[in-house]
Structure formats: C-alpha cells, structure tokens
Amino acid sequence: MKFDPADKIQDLQYFSEFGGVNPSISDSSTYTFTSAKTMFDTFEGNADGCYLYSRHLSPSNLYLGEALAAMEGTETANVSASGMGAITPVLMQLCGAGDHIVSSRTIYGGTYAFLKNFISRFGVETTFVDITKLEVVEAAITKNTKVLYCESVSNPLLEVADIVGLSKLAKKHNLKLVVDNTFSPLSISPAKLGADIVCHSLTKFINGSSDTVGGVVCASQKIIDNLRNVNNGASMLLGSTMDSLRASSVLKNLRTLHIRMKQHSFNAAYLADKFQKDGLKTVYPGLQSHPSHQLFKSMMNATYGFGGMLTIDVGSLEKANELMELMQQKNLGCLAVSLGFYKTLFSAPGSSTSSEIPEEEQAEMGLSNGLIRFSIGLDANIERTYQIMNSCMHQVGLL
Ligand SMILES: *Cc1c(COP(=O)(O)O)cnc(C)c1O
C-alpha cells in the first residue's frame, strides 16, 4: 500500500493511564528514580524509556514527537518551542567553525538571517543558491560543506525543491540534506524522498489555530539522540523546549491536519485558477504555469493537493497595501504574517517576513515589492470569497 502520512498519524494511539482517549498531560519538570544507578545511566544516555528532566524530554513532548515522526516516516523526532528553535540547533549541531552550508536563497527570512548574520559569527559560512538548478547547487559544494539546506516549497516565492535530486547530491558529497517542510505538510514527505532531516514550524498548518509557536525536527534516532545529548546536544543545551501543555494541544490539532490540508489546497487551487484567468500574475504550484508543477506532482501525496499558499504580484507595494486593507475590511482575511490559520492571511513579504533579505538580493531572487503572499483559509464557500475578492480588485483598479 502507498505511504499515507495521515494514516500513520491516526494509527498512533496513546491512551492515558485511566483509559482516556488522549494521553495525560505530563505536569513535571523532573522525574524520580527508584535507583541511583538508573539515574546515572539515564544521564549517560543508556536508560531507554526513562525521563530525566523536561528540557531533555517529557511524556507529552514524546507523544507529539512520535506522531510527527510517524507522519514524516522518520525513526523519531524532537519537538521544540518554535520552528526556529528546531532549525537553528540542527544547523549548529551539524556545523562548527570552518564548515560550510549550501542553502537555497529563497527561504524563511529568519532562517536566512540566522545563516547570514548569526551562525557566520561562529565561523560557519553559507553560500546561497538557486535551489531549482541542481548544477548550480553542486558547483557551490566545497570540501568543507556539511549541509544542503532548503524548503520543500519555498517562502515566499513557492519555488519547489527537487528533493530526490538534492538527496543524490547529498549522498555523493557526504552531506546532510535538511528540508524545512513547513509549507507542505502531508502533501510532501521529504524523508521518503531522501532527506536526512525534516524540520517544521508547527506554528503554521500543523497546529493550524494561530495560538502558539512550536517546532519539530524529524530524523533518525541517532541524529535526535545527538541533538538531545546532555553533554553536547544543541537542542538540549540551547534549551528551546516546548511546554507539555502546549505539546498536548498541538497533538490534538494534528489529528485533523489531513482534513484541513485538503480544504486549504482545494480553496487555494480554486482561487489560483480564477486569479490566473483574470490575468493576475499568480504563482501556485498546482497551476500548469508553475515552472515546477510537474516536479511537485512527481513528489506529492496527491490526496492533500498543492497546499494552501499562493502569491500574486500587483506591481507595487502601494497597490498591495491598498488591496490588503480593503480585503481585511471586507472580512476576507487578516493582514497578518504567518500561515495555516482557518482564516485567510495575507502580507507583502518584501516589507515584512522577508525584510531580513537586503533589497538588492530580493530583486535578484525575483521577490518584488508588489508581491502579496496568501495563506488561504478554510472558507466553507470559496466561490463567494472569490466574488468578494474580485470586487475588491476592481475597486482598487487592478482589474
Ligand atoms: C514560520 C516559519 C519558520 C519559523 O518558525 P517559528 O515557529 O516562527 O519559529 C521557519 N520556516 C518556515 C518556512 C516558516 O514559515
């Protein structure tokens, strides 16, 4: 049978000690041991199944982590307090002074800033490349390269990474392929396509209710053990730990992710098609006109569609702001950063979420001022939404 990530999530059931259908929330920072020897062994990493201290691991965080590992098809996972709290320890664990990273140039602004301005202070250099050109990626690899970094579907330009091709390059040059899959949970399963490490910001589609930040690293037991090592593990030592109460609420939201992703994708595909027919410059991986439409198709778990993210380019920031303010007045969505909410969210990335990227570099990668990024919501009647959006576009003189 075909791998279906949602089946994997559903198959994973943890009962509480009283038979409750949800696991109990662990409400302790520390754990007792009946023998001192077991406590010692746990510190040494030799006592499986024992909890030590909740910055290391807690039952609630384990339940959420295991469900996300099942979804991505990896051995295990480690949850964290935010997406950045997942991504940054991975890169710091894999790289030290003198090492080199080859990264896609179209990535989340925070990750871009971390690579360019922060980890560089510790002697780790990054070369940013057009990730859609494998020959350009390979040419950037040096003898010091340790990591290939990309997003399956990039923020905000919705470029699609050829994960199979990149994983071949990673194997050939003995690198770790790290993929941020925040934009395409369920639709794309990067580990199944050869990625070594899959990260998510849980803040977005996976939690889906815009009420918390959270993150996860899905990988092999060995990589996760290294991240959690009490002596030299970056996740353990940098301390970006998710709280148990939050882990339990994210797990409950994860149970409905498959239904939500189908609706996000359905609504986004509907609008992208209409926008394109109206003559707007529309980017959506589900459109035939998207340069990587076939590539996305070849990688996707088809049931979940092409995702909920789309962009249009309205020519100028002034026009973008005018349209977004009007759409918000008409209650079509919120002028807000982030994504994956039940309501549509829109923002102009050039002046917000990607403002960490210098203007000339934005221009080079094709990120124009008039770009509006939409995270399409779960609207029950997307036809009605389209009609109101269309009248807004007429009102601001776009159509
Ligand atoms: C939001 C986001 C992040 C960062 O996640 P936080 O939860 O805000 O720390 C990383 N990557 C992508 C693609 C994102 O959209």
Side-chain angles (χ1 to χ4, degrees), residues 57-326:
L57 188 60
S58 66
S60 294
N61 287 11
L62 178 90
Y63 300 144
L64 175 60
E66 290 307 298
L68 290 161
M71 175 181 90
E72 289 298 355
T74 59
E75 282 175 9
T76 188
N78 189 54
V79 298
S80 54
S82 70
M84 289 309 288
I87 295 163
T88 57
V90 165
L91 296 171
M92 296 196 87
Q93 191 75 30
L94 296 175
C95 298
D99 290 340
H100 176 244
I101 297 171
V102 175
S103 170
S104 165
R105 63 184 185 183
T106 59
I107 51 173
Y108 179 68
T111 312
Y112 180 90
F114 176 76
L115 289 169
K116 189 168 167 152
N117 307 326
F118 195 89
I119 201 174
S120 53
R121 289 167 40 198
F122 303 93
V124 178
E125 251 189 75
T126 304
T127 304
F128 294 97
V129 296
D130 179 344
I131 203 73
T132 63
K133 299 199 169 77
L134 288 180
E135 68 287 358
V136 174
V137 175
E138 184 161 33
I141 295 170
T142 71
K143 63 177 191 336
N144 297 327
T145 309
K146 292 288 179 334
V147 169
L148 263 184
Y149 186 88
C150 68
E151 296 173 1
S152 338
V153 179
S154 81
N155 179 38
L157 293 175
L158 311 182
E159 286 177 351
V160 180
D162 174 359
I163 298 170
V164 175
L166 290 167
S167 91
K168 282 184 188 145
L169 280 185
K171 288 199 173 58
K172 179 172 161 195
H173 296 276
N174 199 23
L175 319 174
K176 291 275 182 272
L177 175 59
V178 181
V179 179
D180 177 339
N181 198 30
T182 301
F183 274 34
S184 47
L186 300 181
S187 294
I188 295 180
S189 302
K192 290 279 164 193
L193 301 166
D196 298 290
I197 299 178
V198 183
C199 299
H200 280 279
S201 166
L202 303 176
T203 314
K204 316 298 168 56
F205 290 104
I206 290 181
N207 185 58
S209 46
S210 292
D211 54 0
T212 186
V213 288
V216 70
V217 182
C218 302
S220 67
Q221 189 70 51
K222 186 168 159 226
I223 290 173
I224 299 298
D225 284 349
N226 286 344
L227 282 168
R228 275 199 201 123
N229 188 295
V230 295
N231 293 309
N232 56 22
S235 294
M236 178 67 182
L237 298 176
L238 295 172
S240 173
T241 312
M242 180 178 272
D243 183 71
S244 288
L245 278 167
R246 198 46 95 173
S248 81
S249 79
V250 176
L251 177 61
K252 284 174 277 191
N253 286 4
L254 177 68
R255 303 293 192 193
T256 57
L257 178 64
H258 59 299
I259 302 169
R260 291 184 280 115
M261 283 319 295
K262 284 181 198 174
Q263 190 72 20
H264 284 300
S265 289
F266 177 84
N267 287 352
Y270 182 91
L271 290 178
D273 181 57
K274 292 284 190 193
F275 290 166
Q276 183 169 262
K277 286 189 175 131
D278 288 338
L280 294 165
K281 247 172 106 179
T282 311
V283 175
Y284 181 65
L287 291 174
Q288 297 273 356
S289 60
H290 190 287
S292 301
H293 175 68
Q294 286 306 328
L295 174 64
F296 194 119
K297 249 177 126 167
S298 74
M299 296 195 292
M300 78 195 295
N301 301 308
T303 324
Y304 305 103
F306 293 89
M309 303 300 295
L310 66 86
T311 67
I312 59 173
D313 191 336
V314 299
S316 71
L317 182 60
E318 293 66 40
K319 193 56 74 184
N321 288 342
E322 197 185 343
L323 178 62
M324 291 191 295
E325 284 170 10
L326 182 61

